[in-house]
Amino acid sequence: MVGEAVQADRVREVYEEQHVRLWRAVAAWSGSSDVADEAVAEAFAQLVRRGDVVEDPAAWAWRSAFRIAAGELQRRRADARYELGEVSLRDVQSEQVLDLMRGLQCLSDQQRACVVVCDLLGYSAEEAGPLLKTSAATVRVQRMRARRRLRSLLEVKDV
C-alpha cells in the first residue's frame, strides 16, 4: 500500500512537470488535439497502473504517448476517417503555422518527433534521445534531415 502511494506521488509529479509539454509535442506530431488528449491521458493512466516497475516515469510517459498516438493515427487511417492534411489544433491562427503543421505531416514519424521535441519544445538532442528512445546522434541526424525537408516544402509554398 505504501509503494502504491509513493508511485502515485511520483506519477503526479511527472504529470505536473511534463503533461503540457508532452501534449504540445503529441499534438504537433500528430496534427490533432483529439489524438493528443487521448494519448497523453492514456499514457499517464497506464503509468499509474504499472506501479513501481517503471524506472523513469517521464521517459516512459513520453514514449508511451507517442506510441499510443501512432496507434490511434493508424486506426484512423484504416477506418478512412483521418485526412492527413487536417489540422485541428485549438490555437492555430496563422497561415504560417498551418503551413508548418502541414509540412510536419510530410516527415517521417521519427523526423517529426525530433523536430517537435527539440525545435518546438526546446529539448537538447541529449535530452530528447531518452524521451524518444534513441541516441542523441540519431536525434541530430533526423532533425537535420527534417529541417532540410521542411525548408524545401515551405520554399515551394512561398513561390
Side-chain angles (χ1 to χ4, degrees), residues 66-132:
F66 276 96
R67 284 188 189 131
I68 293 164
E72 176 62 16
L73 291 176
Q74 265 185 332
R75 186 189 66 74
R76 289 182 181 197
R77 284 185 197 115
D79 291 345
R81 290 182 292 182
Y82 182 75
E83 297 175 26
L84 188 59
E86 179 185 342
V87 176
S88 60
L89 291 174
R90 297 177 190 131
D91 299 325
V92 174
Q93 297 174 2
S94 159
E95 186 64 33
Q96 290 176 331
V97 173
L98 286 172
D99 290 342
L100 177 60
M101 295 301 292
R102 289 182 189 113
L104 286 170
Q105 296 305 310
C106 295
L107 303 175
S108 72
D109 289 348
Q110 188 177 35
Q111 289 174 344
R112 189 168 51 250
C114 291
V115 167
V116 167
V117 171
C118 293
D119 294 334
L120 297 180
L121 298 176
Y123 283 99
S124 69
E126 288 73 20
E127 294 168 325
L131 295 176
L132 300 174

